[in-house]
């Protein structure tokens, strides 16, 4: 493809994307296509001789691709957590592809690494994270030794693909730290990881990948701790699990706390969790291999974005005890997928666990120790220039712009909650958390909970079938709702173009079908 052709096709595609954004609201949020349909429409082989896709591409996009999409950028997409994109982020993504650099080492593209370091520091500060999670502190040697760790604090942030990668990397680093005193031929102690029963499935999946669980229900090395009536981890139950495990010679090494659970947006109490992890009684029981503190990973994939507004920072109380923290700008900070910001308090703990240097990667900058090589902070070797999109988002909107965006969504959630409270056919089983509202149909007199749950699900199916909105559900169980729990419809407000009229439209539809 010649430069001129690239320009012409590139302009046409940018035009097409801008038009798609303009009209996405008029499309059904979810495609009605059936599994296998699209696949069956593809030829079995790639063309042997290039067949010039360009002439008919726009028509093909309109007639084949768009009708078989779920439109995540639709303003009435309220499912899962939205993955909001924005023009500055998409242009950053395009730049990254155009530059085509691969930033595995500092030397393979210095600004790819250093822009990421700078942007991660911007984000850490914008979110109100302690300065120990910045590269600046590490590079200037400011990172003082923390009270909770024998290891000097010297952190920073890196962009991972997803929160799932972040928790896996955290767990592997935690295991490395926990076993650091072990000789290679020592028998491994029985490691134990803990998270709340409402934590994201990626915690158990990380254990599966790390060899600590053979299948999703294998609980020999992972304990999912019960939650209280607000969906937060029951800290006393966490403490009891850790103490009981230590008493039988097991080695607790990892705790994952969540700021904004996927199901209901519950925010774990970091200060209380941190206090338990450092409690003398908890640490001193059964000492042989317990000289290393238990790693605390904070999964703020969705909720932590709200901390860009100072009024939501109460959730950060106790964050200084965290060893690692993640937040997904690809969920709620206008940065298109994929972009997970992963911060660590001590970068050396990552590199000790993940670094392996074959001859072909050696270079003088790495050998000097002065360069940051992000390959040692993540699972893959290669890495894209993802910092560009976050850099452009932060510069284009500014912190104030992002604050406005988050505040509007939280206000819309409050508005929706008010409408729900005023309609006795519905119940707000839990108070909204940030911009997530969970509602159910109230059980009718004499109706079983199971039947009310079935009506709630049917209501969601009907609303989704209109194509006007897209909602998903969860089953929440906790001390108040009992083991069987209850079906909740989740309304996750977070679309780039979601306004009050879209939330009102959703409510009218749901109220009509109720
Ligand atoms: N953690 C939480 C709290 C989430 O809500 C999600 C996804 O919704 C994840 C982790 C996993 O996110 P990712 O797709 O970035 O792995």
């Amino acid at each position: 493809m010649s430069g001129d052709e690239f320009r012409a096709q590139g302009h046409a595609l940018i035009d097409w994307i801008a038009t798609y954004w303009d009209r996405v609201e008029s499309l059904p949020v979810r495609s009605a296509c059936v599994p296998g349909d699209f696949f069956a429409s593809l030829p079995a082989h790639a063309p042997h001789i290039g067949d010039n896709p360009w002439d008919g591409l726009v028509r093909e996009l309109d007639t084949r691709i768009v009708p078989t999409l779920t439109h995540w950028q639709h303003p009435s997409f309220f499912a899962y957590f939205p993955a909001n994109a924005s023009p500055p982020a998409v242009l950053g993504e395009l730049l990254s592809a155009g530059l085509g650099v691969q930033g595995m080492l500092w030397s393979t593209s210095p600004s790819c690494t250093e822009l990421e370091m700078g942007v991660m520091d911007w984000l850490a500060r914008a979110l109100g994270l302690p300065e120990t999670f910045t590269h600046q502190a590490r590079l200037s040697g400011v990172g003082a030794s923390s009270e909770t760790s024998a290891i000097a604090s010297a952190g920073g942030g890196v962009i991972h693909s997803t929160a799932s990668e972040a928790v896996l990397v955290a767990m592997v680093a935690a295991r490395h730290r926990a076993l650091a005193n072990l000789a290679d031929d020592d028998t491994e102690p029985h490691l134990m990881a803990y998270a709340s029963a409402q934590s994201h499935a990626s915690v158990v999946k990380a254990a599966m990948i790390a060899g600590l669980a053979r299948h999703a229900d294998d609980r020999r090395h992972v304990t999912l701790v019960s939650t209280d009536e607000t969906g937060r981890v029951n800290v006393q139950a966490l403490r009891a699990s850790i103490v009981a495990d230590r008493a039988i010679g097991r080695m607790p090494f990892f705790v994952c706390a969540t700021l904004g659970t996927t199901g209901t947006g519950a925010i774990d109490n970091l200060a209380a969790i941190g206090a338990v992890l450092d409690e003398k009684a908890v640490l001193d029981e059964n000492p042989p291999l317990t000289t290393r503190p238990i790693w605390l990973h904070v999964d703020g994939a969705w909720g932590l974005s709200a901390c860009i507004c100072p009024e939501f920072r109460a959730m950060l109380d106790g964050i200084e005890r965290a060893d690692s923290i993640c937040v997904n700008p690809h969920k709620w900070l206008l940065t298109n997928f994929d972009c997970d910001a992963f911060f660590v308090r001590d970068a050396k703990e990552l590199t000790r666990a993940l670094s392996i240097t074959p001859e072909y990667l050696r270079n003088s900058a790495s050998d000097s120790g002065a360069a940051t090589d992000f390959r040692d902070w993540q699972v893959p070797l290669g890495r894209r220039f993802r910092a560009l999109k976050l850099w452009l988002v932060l510069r284009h909107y500014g912190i104030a712009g992002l604050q406005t965006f988050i505040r509007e969504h939280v206000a819309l959630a409050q508005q929706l909650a008010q409408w729900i409270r005023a309609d006795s056919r519905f119940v707000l089983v839990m108070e909204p958390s940030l911009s997530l509202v969970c509602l159910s149909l109230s059980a009718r007199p004499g109706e079983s909970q199971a039947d009310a749950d079935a009506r709630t699900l049917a209501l969601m199916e009907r609303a989704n079938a209109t194509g006007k909105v897209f909602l998903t559900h969860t089953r929440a169980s906790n001390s108040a709702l009992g083991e069987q729990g209850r079906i909740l419809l989740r309304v996750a407000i977070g679309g780039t173009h979601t306004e009050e009229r879209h939330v009102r439209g959703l409510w009218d539809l749901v109220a009509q079908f109720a």
Side-chain angles (χ1 to χ4, degrees), residues 373 382 463 502 513:
D373 290 330
H502 303 110
F513 288 144

Side-chain angles (χ1 to χ4, degrees), residues 81 162-164 200 202 258 260-262 299 301-302 328 330-331 337:
F81 285 123
T162 59
S164 304
H200 191 264
S202 51
T258 310
T261 57
T262 316
D299 176 0
W302 165 69
N328 284 357
H330 71 225
K331 281 188 165 48
F337 191 85

Side-chain angles (χ1 to χ4, degrees), residues 441-453 455:
L441 284 170
S442 316
R444 291 170 176 149
E447 187 183 33
S448 70
Q449 190 52 55
D451 287 348
D453 283 349
R455 282 194 303 119

Side-chain angles (χ1 to χ4, degrees), residues 47-64:
H48 185 62
I49 300 192
D51 67 357
N52 180 17
W54 308 106
D55 289 349
L57 181 60
V58 162
R59 189 170 19 87
E60 229 177 327
L61 289 174
D62 287 337
T63 57
R64 297 187 63 200

Side-chain angles (χ1 to χ4, degrees), residues 165-303:
E165 184 184 344
V167 70
L168 173 63
V169 164
M171 197 179 280
V172 168
R175 178 176 61 189
H176 191 272
R177 177 167 89 185
L179 302 181
N181 292 345
L182 224 61
D184 279 356
D185 52 359
D186 282 348
T187 310
E188 269 208 20
H190 187 117
L191 293 169
M192 287 303 300
Y194 309 81
S196 103
Q198 295 290 322
S199 64
H200 191 264
S202 51
V203 181
V204 172
K205 190 166 178 178
M208 289 161 75
I209 299 170
L212 292 168
R214 276 211 296 257
H215 52 78
D217 298 320
D218 182 353
R219 295 284 172 270
R220 285 170 302 165
H221 295 275
V222 182
T223 298
L224 296 183
V225 181
S226 60
T227 53
D228 66 16
E229 65 287 352
T230 64
R232 306 193 307 181
V233 70
N234 179 333
V235 180
Q236 281 320 309
L238 171 68
R239 183 186 184 283
S241 286
I242 294 176
V243 168
D245 284 336
R246 276 200 202 274
I248 55 170
R250 292 178 171 179
M251 185 176 191
F253 79 109
F254 181 83
V255 169
C256 176
T258 310
L259 299 181
T261 57
T262 316
T264 62
I267 291 174
D268 286 340
N269 184 339
L270 292 184
I273 294 171
V276 161
L277 300 190
D278 297 328
E279 209 181 292
K280 224 171 150 2
V282 172
L283 291 173
D284 283 354
E285 205 111 4
N286 212 330
L289 288 155
T290 55
T291 49
R292 304 281 164 151
I294 298 173
W295 188 287
L296 176 59
H297 175 67
V298 175
D299 176 0
W302 165 69

